[in-house]
Amino acid sequence: MLQRTEGAGPSREHYDAIVVGVGGMGSAAAYELARRGRDVLALERFDIPHAKGSSHGYSRIVSRSFYESQAILALYDRACAGWESIEEAWGSRIFHRQGSLTTGPPGTEVISTATSTADRFDVPHELLDPSEANDRFPGYRIPADHEVLYQPTDGFVVPRDGVRACVDLAHRHGAEIHARMAVEGWTPTPDGVTVRTEAGDVSGDALVVTAGAWTPSILPVTRSILEAERQVLGRFRPQDPDRFGPGAFPVSAITTDEGQYSAFPNHGTPGVKIARVHHRRETVDPDELGTAITDADESILRWFGDRFLAGGTGPTMRLDTCLYTNTPDGRFVLDSHPDHPQVCFATGFSGHGYKFCPVVGKILADLVGNGDTEHRIEPFRMSRF
């Protein structure tokens, strides 16, 4: 057996499954595999959790507003149930069901999709007048010409806690997880894979790649379909904080003349969070993203707050960057490698993936176990491109 100093590298020569990337998807996959009794090694090139990718911070929206596909909504419901199971096992809250608002001028794509989806799939919802929405949720100032859909069972999850929970639970079930250990490459073998790390080679029956924007460096087969995009998030102190807590201020998807924005309650760190979807549509190399945020980035966010939040946008509390990993159709990829079925991967979540972590973890564990899953993943396979 391979013997190394404690913490210096993998403690064994061989594992049932090796997970590369321990963000939201990778931590969920490591937990699910370990829960099923697999010997799991999970490797992360940065810290756990870290703020360089897509699985950090204090809120990610959980809303059906963007989906009308039955396949996606089936995963959505399984994901919500999965978060509740993780919360129960971990012993602390991650998923906050505080409701969501979807608004926009009549005929706006997002509001039309949200309304038709709610009707078609019998999702709890209310159609509100803008004045009624502003009275009920006084942190918002929704224009009089908007349509408003309220969905009380939506909300937000805390990504940093989701990663922490899945890593803690994976550890409880015997998984071996290493941060600050980059994967340098892998090679298929007759019995699985050999993975090259900076601490040496290690083998596994299966390889699971959940490396976010770094997936193309691990799986070159995905290079033609993935593109990393820089995103900026801001938090601003409101004039009346009581209007912006989780119980009073639902998350939102608001279509404006300047694009689609989302707002999140004051939770976890000071200030109301504001984000514009596809912030400036900047394609980046994930290794060169950096943390530099300009006045123009901040102005994009303040524009929304000054028009759609009660009291406008107050002093800046925090500005952060994160990454979207986009596919050409904005739909994510769940699949096995076309030439090496012992390798499976989840990628390309295009800015709306974190909510799906629990069910994606289960799907990846299924693919490791038998190469198939009971979940309908045909719409998410790479062969569609």
mmCIF file of all heavy atoms in Angstrom, residues 269-306:
data_model
loop_
_atom_site.group_PDB
_atom_site.id
_atom_site.type_symbol
_atom_site.label_atom_id
_atom_site.label_comp_id
_atom_site.label_asym_id
_atom_site.label_seq_id
_atom_site.Cartn_x
_atom_site.Cartn_y
_atom_site.Cartn_z
ATOM 1 N N THR A 269 -24.189 38.176 5.559
ATOM 2 C CA THR A 269 -23.207 39.249 5.525
ATOM 3 C C THR A 269 -23.979 40.530 5.258
ATOM 4 O O THR A 269 -25.064 40.491 4.655
ATOM 5 C CB THR A 269 -22.138 38.980 4.439
ATOM 6 O OG1 THR A 269 -21.054 39.883 4.584
ATOM 7 C CG2 THR A 269 -22.706 39.074 3.052
ATOM 8 N N PRO A 270 -23.503 41.685 5.721
ATOM 9 C CA PRO A 270 -24.327 42.898 5.652
ATOM 10 C C PRO A 270 -24.707 43.301 4.235
ATOM 11 O O PRO A 270 -23.912 43.213 3.302
ATOM 12 C CB PRO A 270 -23.427 43.963 6.301
ATOM 13 C CG PRO A 270 -22.502 43.202 7.183
ATOM 14 C CD PRO A 270 -22.243 41.913 6.463
ATOM 15 N N GLY A 271 -25.934 43.780 4.104
ATOM 16 C CA GLY A 271 -26.375 44.380 2.863
ATOM 17 C C GLY A 271 -27.291 43.533 2.008
ATOM 18 O O GLY A 271 -27.281 42.303 2.077
ATOM 19 N N VAL A 272 -28.113 44.213 1.214
ATOM 20 C CA VAL A 272 -28.954 43.560 0.213
ATOM 21 C C VAL A 272 -28.077 43.196 -0.974
ATOM 22 O O VAL A 272 -27.288 44.008 -1.465
ATOM 23 C CB VAL A 272 -30.083 44.508 -0.245
ATOM 24 C CG1 VAL A 272 -30.926 43.836 -1.328
ATOM 25 C CG2 VAL A 272 -30.955 44.901 0.920
ATOM 26 N N LYS A 273 -28.218 41.969 -1.468
ATOM 27 C CA LYS A 273 -27.421 41.529 -2.606
ATOM 28 C C LYS A 273 -28.144 41.849 -3.910
ATOM 29 O O LYS A 273 -29.351 41.596 -4.047
ATOM 30 C CB LYS A 273 -27.161 40.025 -2.518
ATOM 31 C CG LYS A 273 -26.451 39.429 -3.732
ATOM 32 C CD LYS A 273 -26.279 37.931 -3.549
ATOM 33 C CE LYS A 273 -25.935 37.241 -4.846
ATOM 34 N NZ LYS A 273 -25.858 35.776 -4.689
ATOM 35 N N ILE A 274 -27.389 42.392 -4.874
ATOM 36 C CA ILE A 274 -27.910 42.693 -6.206
ATOM 37 C C ILE A 274 -26.986 42.064 -7.240
ATOM 38 O O ILE A 274 -25.761 42.132 -7.118
ATOM 39 C CB ILE A 274 -27.981 44.218 -6.444
ATOM 40 C CG1 ILE A 274 -28.947 44.878 -5.452
ATOM 41 C CG2 ILE A 274 -28.422 44.523 -7.877
ATOM 42 C CD1 ILE A 274 -28.940 46.393 -5.531
ATOM 43 N N ALA A 275 -27.588 41.470 -8.259
ATOM 44 C CA ALA A 275 -26.813 40.900 -9.361
ATOM 45 C C ALA A 275 -27.562 41.126 -10.658
ATOM 46 O O ALA A 275 -28.794 41.081 -10.701
ATOM 47 C CB ALA A 275 -26.591 39.407 -9.150
ATOM 48 N N ARG A 276 -26.822 41.417 -11.727
ATOM 49 C CA ARG A 276 -27.411 41.413 -13.061
ATOM 50 C C ARG A 276 -26.994 40.119 -13.746
ATOM 51 O O ARG A 276 -25.796 39.789 -13.799
ATOM 52 C CB ARG A 276 -26.967 42.616 -13.898
ATOM 53 C CG ARG A 276 -27.645 42.617 -15.279
ATOM 54 C CD ARG A 276 -27.501 43.916 -16.034
ATOM 55 N NE ARG A 276 -26.161 44.097 -16.578
ATOM 56 C CZ ARG A 276 -25.874 45.047 -17.476
ATOM 57 N NH1 ARG A 276 -26.818 45.883 -17.892
ATOM 58 N NH2 ARG A 276 -24.643 45.177 -17.925
ATOM 59 N N VAL A 277 -27.949 39.397 -14.286
ATOM 60 C CA VAL A 277 -27.662 38.134 -14.961
ATOM 61 C C VAL A 277 -26.793 38.419 -16.187
ATOM 62 O O VAL A 277 -27.105 39.310 -16.987
ATOM 63 C CB VAL A 277 -28.968 37.436 -15.362
ATOM 64 C CG1 VAL A 277 -28.663 36.126 -16.094
ATOM 65 C CG2 VAL A 277 -29.823 37.172 -14.125
ATOM 66 N N HIS A 278 -25.687 37.657 -16.325
ATOM 67 C CA HIS A 278 -24.706 37.903 -17.388
ATOM 68 C C HIS A 278 -24.243 39.368 -17.324
ATOM 69 O O HIS A 278 -24.439 40.154 -18.256
ATOM 70 C CB HIS A 278 -25.280 37.561 -18.761
ATOM 71 C CG HIS A 278 -25.706 36.132 -18.892
ATOM 72 N ND1 HIS A 278 -24.807 35.086 -18.859
ATOM 73 C CD2 HIS A 278 -26.933 35.573 -19.027
ATOM 74 C CE1 HIS A 278 -25.469 33.942 -18.987
ATOM 75 N NE2 HIS A 278 -26.751 34.215 -19.092
ATOM 76 N N HIS A 279 -23.606 39.681 -16.230
ATOM 77 C CA HIS A 279 -23.287 41.046 -15.787
ATOM 78 C C HIS A 279 -22.834 41.967 -16.921
ATOM 79 O O HIS A 279 -23.494 42.952 -17.247
ATOM 80 C CB HIS A 279 -22.209 40.953 -14.705
ATOM 81 C CG HIS A 279 -21.752 42.246 -14.145
ATOM 82 N ND1 HIS A 279 -22.545 43.009 -13.306
ATOM 83 C CD2 HIS A 279 -20.600 42.924 -14.281
ATOM 84 C CE1 HIS A 279 -21.886 44.092 -12.957
ATOM 85 N NE2 HIS A 279 -20.707 44.070 -13.533
ATOM 86 N N ARG A 280 -21.694 41.670 -17.544
ATOM 87 C CA ARG A 280 -21.225 42.456 -18.699
ATOM 88 C C ARG A 280 -20.896 41.558 -19.890
ATOM 89 O O ARG A 280 -20.267 41.995 -20.854
ATOM 90 C CB ARG A 280 -19.993 43.276 -18.306
ATOM 91 C CG ARG A 280 -20.299 44.322 -17.252
ATOM 92 C CD ARG A 280 -19.041 45.006 -16.726
ATOM 93 N NE ARG A 280 -18.459 45.916 -17.706
ATOM 94 C CZ ARG A 280 -17.390 46.673 -17.455
ATOM 95 N NH1 ARG A 280 -16.795 46.618 -16.278
ATOM 96 N NH2 ARG A 280 -16.919 47.478 -18.372
ATOM 97 N N ARG A 281 -21.299 40.286 -19.774
ATOM 98 C CA ARG A 281 -21.059 39.289 -20.831
ATOM 99 C C ARG A 281 -19.588 39.237 -21.223
ATOM 100 O O ARG A 281 -19.238 39.223 -22.406
ATOM 101 C CB ARG A 281 -21.955 39.555 -22.043
ATOM 102 C CG ARG A 281 -23.440 39.436 -21.700
ATOM 103 C CD ARG A 281 -24.331 39.404 -22.907
ATOM 104 N NE ARG A 281 -25.729 39.254 -22.514
ATOM 105 C CZ ARG A 281 -26.352 38.093 -22.289
ATOM 106 N NH1 ARG A 281 -25.678 36.965 -22.423
ATOM 107 N NH2 ARG A 281 -27.616 38.058 -21.933
ATOM 108 N N GLU A 282 -18.733 39.168 -20.214
ATOM 109 C CA GLU A 282 -17.282 39.136 -20.421
ATOM 110 C C GLU A 282 -16.771 37.704 -20.350
ATOM 111 O O GLU A 282 -16.809 37.076 -19.288
ATOM 112 C CB GLU A 282 -16.574 39.957 -19.348
ATOM 113 C CG GLU A 282 -16.851 41.437 -19.386
ATOM 114 C CD GLU A 282 -16.207 42.137 -18.216
ATOM 115 O OE1 GLU A 282 -16.778 42.087 -17.119
ATOM 116 O OE2 GLU A 282 -15.117 42.715 -18.394
ATOM 117 N N THR A 283 -16.277 37.192 -21.442
ATOM 118 C CA THR A 283 -15.638 35.882 -21.450
ATOM 119 C C THR A 283 -14.235 36.016 -20.857
ATOM 120 O O THR A 283 -13.498 36.949 -21.188
ATOM 121 C CB THR A 283 -15.544 35.344 -22.883
ATOM 122 O OG1 THR A 283 -16.866 35.242 -23.420
ATOM 123 C CG2 THR A 283 -14.876 33.977 -22.907
ATOM 124 N N VAL A 284 -13.869 35.076 -19.987
ATOM 125 C CA VAL A 284 -12.589 35.168 -19.283
ATOM 126 C C VAL A 284 -11.914 33.806 -19.231
ATOM 127 O O VAL A 284 -12.547 32.763 -19.403
ATOM 128 C CB VAL A 284 -12.769 35.692 -17.839
ATOM 129 C CG1 VAL A 284 -13.310 37.113 -17.840
ATOM 130 C CG2 VAL A 284 -13.677 34.767 -17.025
ATOM 131 N N ASP A 285 -10.614 33.838 -18.983
ATOM 132 C CA ASP A 285 -9.864 32.653 -18.584
ATOM 133 C C ASP A 285 -10.025 32.540 -17.072
ATOM 134 O O ASP A 285 -9.692 33.479 -16.346
ATOM 135 C CB ASP A 285 -8.391 32.833 -18.954
ATOM 136 C CG ASP A 285 -7.524 31.653 -18.559
ATOM 137 O OD1 ASP A 285 -7.890 30.920 -17.610
ATOM 138 O OD2 ASP A 285 -6.460 31.472 -19.169
ATOM 139 N N PRO A 286 -10.549 31.424 -16.561
ATOM 140 C CA PRO A 286 -10.785 31.353 -15.111
ATOM 141 C C PRO A 286 -9.531 31.553 -14.276
ATOM 142 O O PRO A 286 -9.617 32.015 -13.136
ATOM 143 C CB PRO A 286 -11.384 29.950 -14.918
ATOM 144 C CG PRO A 286 -11.009 29.189 -16.144
ATOM 145 C CD PRO A 286 -10.956 30.201 -17.243
ATOM 146 N N ASP A 287 -8.372 31.235 -14.823
ATOM 147 C CA ASP A 287 -7.135 31.445 -14.072
ATOM 148 C C ASP A 287 -6.708 32.904 -14.033
ATOM 149 O O ASP A 287 -5.803 33.270 -13.286
ATOM 150 C CB ASP A 287 -6.001 30.603 -14.666
ATOM 151 C CG ASP A 287 -6.163 29.132 -14.372
ATOM 152 O OD1 ASP A 287 -6.573 28.798 -13.245
ATOM 153 O OD2 ASP A 287 -5.913 28.319 -15.272
ATOM 154 N N GLU A 288 -7.364 33.741 -14.841
ATOM 155 C CA GLU A 288 -6.995 35.151 -14.899
ATOM 156 C C GLU A 288 -8.143 36.059 -14.488
ATOM 157 O O GLU A 288 -8.120 37.265 -14.751
ATOM 158 C CB GLU A 288 -6.533 35.506 -16.312
ATOM 159 C CG GLU A 288 -5.303 34.721 -16.760
ATOM 160 C CD GLU A 288 -4.893 35.018 -18.187
ATOM 161 O OE1 GLU A 288 -5.590 35.830 -18.839
ATOM 162 O OE2 GLU A 288 -3.891 34.437 -18.651
ATOM 163 N N LEU A 289 -9.154 35.494 -13.815
ATOM 164 C CA LEU A 289 -10.318 36.291 -13.421
ATOM 165 C C LEU A 289 -9.926 37.431 -12.498
ATOM 166 O O LEU A 289 -10.338 38.570 -12.666
ATOM 167 C CB LEU A 289 -11.358 35.397 -12.734
ATOM 168 C CG LEU A 289 -12.562 36.113 -12.122
ATOM 169 C CD1 LEU A 289 -13.390 36.791 -13.199
ATOM 170 C CD2 LEU A 289 -13.424 35.137 -11.324
ATOM 171 N N GLY A 290 -9.093 37.124 -11.497
ATOM 172 C CA GLY A 290 -8.694 38.134 -10.546
ATOM 173 C C GLY A 290 -9.870 38.609 -9.707
ATOM 174 O O GLY A 290 -10.967 38.041 -9.737
ATOM 175 N N THR A 291 -9.678 39.672 -8.959
ATOM 176 C CA THR A 291 -10.735 40.217 -8.114
ATOM 177 C C THR A 291 -10.982 41.695 -8.377
ATOM 178 O O THR A 291 -11.748 42.335 -7.665
ATOM 179 C CB THR A 291 -10.379 40.018 -6.626
ATOM 180 O OG1 THR A 291 -9.117 40.659 -6.365
ATOM 181 C CG2 THR A 291 -10.286 38.551 -6.277
ATOM 182 N N ALA A 292 -10.318 42.266 -9.375
ATOM 183 C CA ALA A 292 -10.469 43.693 -9.650
ATOM 184 C C ALA A 292 -11.898 43.996 -10.086
ATOM 185 O O ALA A 292 -12.416 43.408 -11.036
ATOM 186 C CB ALA A 292 -9.482 44.133 -10.727
ATOM 187 N N ILE A 293 -12.550 44.917 -9.385
ATOM 188 C CA ILE A 293 -13.913 45.327 -9.690
ATOM 189 C C ILE A 293 -13.898 46.830 -9.914
ATOM 190 O O ILE A 293 -13.355 47.593 -9.114
ATOM 191 C CB ILE A 293 -14.868 44.944 -8.548
ATOM 192 C CG1 ILE A 293 -14.903 43.424 -8.395
ATOM 193 C CG2 ILE A 293 -16.268 45.475 -8.820
ATOM 194 C CD1 ILE A 293 -15.682 42.952 -7.196
ATOM 195 N N THR A 294 -14.487 47.279 -10.997
ATOM 196 C CA THR A 294 -14.398 48.672 -11.398
ATOM 197 C C THR A 294 -15.616 49.468 -10.943
ATOM 198 O O THR A 294 -16.645 48.911 -10.542
ATOM 199 C CB THR A 294 -14.278 48.771 -12.919
ATOM 200 O OG1 THR A 294 -15.521 48.341 -13.515
ATOM 201 C CG2 THR A 294 -13.136 47.909 -13.436
ATOM 202 N N ASP A 295 -15.506 50.793 -11.077
ATOM 203 C CA ASP A 295 -16.650 51.655 -10.799
ATOM 204 C C ASP A 295 -17.810 51.330 -11.727
ATOM 205 O O ASP A 295 -18.984 51.423 -11.350
ATOM 206 C CB ASP A 295 -16.256 53.120 -10.956
ATOM 207 C CG ASP A 295 -15.311 53.605 -9.860
ATOM 208 O OD1 ASP A 295 -15.208 52.912 -8.820
ATOM 209 O OD2 ASP A 295 -14.679 54.656 -10.050
ATOM 210 N N ALA A 296 -17.489 50.951 -12.962
ATOM 211 C CA ALA A 296 -18.545 50.601 -13.919
ATOM 212 C C ALA A 296 -19.314 49.365 -13.465
ATOM 213 O O ALA A 296 -20.537 49.292 -13.625
ATOM 214 C CB ALA A 296 -17.948 50.381 -15.306
ATOM 215 N N ASP A 297 -18.597 48.390 -12.909
ATOM 216 C CA ASP A 297 -19.271 47.207 -12.374
ATOM 217 C C ASP A 297 -20.253 47.594 -11.276
ATOM 218 O O ASP A 297 -21.401 47.125 -11.241
ATOM 219 C CB ASP A 297 -18.241 46.230 -11.786
ATOM 220 C CG ASP A 297 -17.396 45.557 -12.840
ATOM 221 O OD1 ASP A 297 -17.939 45.187 -13.884
ATOM 222 O OD2 ASP A 297 -16.184 45.394 -12.600
ATOM 223 N N GLU A 298 -19.801 48.445 -10.370
ATOM 224 C CA GLU A 298 -20.656 48.866 -9.263
ATOM 225 C C GLU A 298 -21.848 49.675 -9.760
ATOM 226 O O GLU A 298 -22.978 49.515 -9.274
ATOM 227 C CB GLU A 298 -19.843 49.671 -8.255
ATOM 228 C CG GLU A 298 -20.624 50.059 -7.020
ATOM 229 C CD GLU A 298 -19.760 50.748 -5.981
ATOM 230 O OE1 GLU A 298 -18.530 50.833 -6.183
ATOM 231 O OE2 GLU A 298 -20.321 51.216 -4.966
ATOM 232 N N SER A 299 -21.633 50.513 -10.747
ATOM 233 C CA SER A 299 -22.713 51.351 -11.283
ATOM 234 C C SER A 299 -23.827 50.517 -11.894
ATOM 235 O O SER A 299 -25.012 50.877 -11.801
ATOM 236 C CB SER A 299 -22.150 52.318 -12.331
ATOM 237 O OG SER A 299 -21.273 53.242 -11.744
ATOM 238 N N ILE A 300 -23.451 49.407 -12.542
ATOM 239 C CA ILE A 300 -24.461 48.515 -13.120
ATOM 240 C C ILE A 300 -25.409 48.008 -12.045
ATOM 241 O O ILE A 300 -26.630 47.906 -12.264
ATOM 242 C CB ILE A 300 -23.766 47.337 -13.842
ATOM 243 C CG1 ILE A 300 -23.136 47.822 -15.146
ATOM 244 C CG2 ILE A 300 -24.738 46.197 -14.112
ATOM 245 C CD1 ILE A 300 -22.229 46.795 -15.798
ATOM 246 N N LEU A 301 -24.886 47.715 -10.881
ATOM 247 C CA LEU A 301 -25.699 47.196 -9.788
ATOM 248 C C LEU A 301 -26.485 48.309 -9.102
ATOM 249 O O LEU A 301 -27.665 48.137 -8.766
ATOM 250 C CB LEU A 301 -24.811 46.462 -8.791
ATOM 251 C CG LEU A 301 -23.947 45.346 -9.392
ATOM 252 C CD1 LEU A 301 -23.050 44.725 -8.322
ATOM 253 C CD2 LEU A 301 -24.814 44.278 -10.041
ATOM 254 N N ARG A 302 -25.841 49.445 -8.902
ATOM 255 C CA ARG A 302 -26.528 50.570 -8.271
ATOM 256 C C ARG A 302 -27.694 51.074 -9.119
ATOM 257 O O ARG A 302 -28.719 51.527 -8.580
ATOM 258 C CB ARG A 302 -25.544 51.720 -8.013
ATOM 259 C CG ARG A 302 -24.649 51.485 -6.807
ATOM 260 C CD ARG A 302 -23.830 52.729 -6.478
ATOM 261 N NE ARG A 302 -23.173 52.538 -5.207
ATOM 262 C CZ ARG A 302 -23.736 52.769 -4.030
ATOM 263 N NH1 ARG A 302 -24.990 53.194 -3.985
ATOM 264 N NH2 ARG A 302 -23.078 52.572 -2.915
ATOM 265 N N TRP A 303 -27.555 51.009 -10.431
ATOM 266 C CA TRP A 303 -28.646 51.438 -11.316
ATOM 267 C C TRP A 303 -29.944 50.741 -10.934
ATOM 268 O O TRP A 303 -31.006 51.363 -10.839
ATOM 269 C CB TRP A 303 -28.282 51.132 -12.766
ATOM 270 C CG TRP A 303 -29.360 51.530 -13.739
ATOM 271 C CD1 TRP A 303 -29.490 52.728 -14.378
ATOM 272 C CD2 TRP A 303 -30.472 50.721 -14.150
ATOM 273 N NE1 TRP A 303 -30.623 52.729 -15.166
ATOM 274 C CE2 TRP A 303 -31.241 51.514 -15.042
ATOM 275 C CE3 TRP A 303 -30.899 49.430 -13.851
ATOM 276 C CZ2 TRP A 303 -32.414 51.034 -15.642
ATOM 277 C CZ3 TRP A 303 -32.063 48.947 -14.435
ATOM 278 C CH2 TRP A 303 -32.807 49.734 -15.327
ATOM 279 N N PHE A 304 -29.853 49.432 -10.720
ATOM 280 C CA PHE A 304 -31.042 48.662 -10.362
ATOM 281 C C PHE A 304 -31.549 49.050 -8.976
ATOM 282 O O PHE A 304 -32.749 49.315 -8.787
ATOM 283 C CB PHE A 304 -30.726 47.167 -10.410
ATOM 284 C CG PHE A 304 -31.817 46.304 -9.841
ATOM 285 C CD1 PHE A 304 -32.896 45.926 -10.622
ATOM 286 C CD2 PHE A 304 -31.775 45.867 -8.520
ATOM 287 C CE1 PHE A 304 -33.917 45.138 -10.103
ATOM 288 C CE2 PHE A 304 -32.779 45.069 -7.999
ATOM 289 C CZ PHE A 304 -33.853 44.709 -8.794
ATOM 290 N N GLY A 305 -30.657 49.072 -7.989
ATOM 291 C CA GLY A 305 -31.082 49.359 -6.627
ATOM 292 C C GLY A 305 -31.737 50.707 -6.485
ATOM 293 O O GLY A 305 -32.721 50.864 -5.739
ATOM 294 N N ASP A 306 -31.237 51.703 -7.202
ATOM 295 C CA ASP A 306 -31.797 53.052 -7.102
ATOM 296 C C ASP A 306 -33.198 53.145 -7.691
ATOM 297 O O ASP A 306 -33.957 54.063 -7.363
ATOM 298 C CB ASP A 306 -30.886 54.061 -7.806
ATOM 299 C CG ASP A 306 -29.594 54.293 -7.048
ATOM 300 O OD1 ASP A 306 -29.536 53.947 -5.843
ATOM 301 O OD2 ASP A 306 -28.627 54.804 -7.661
#
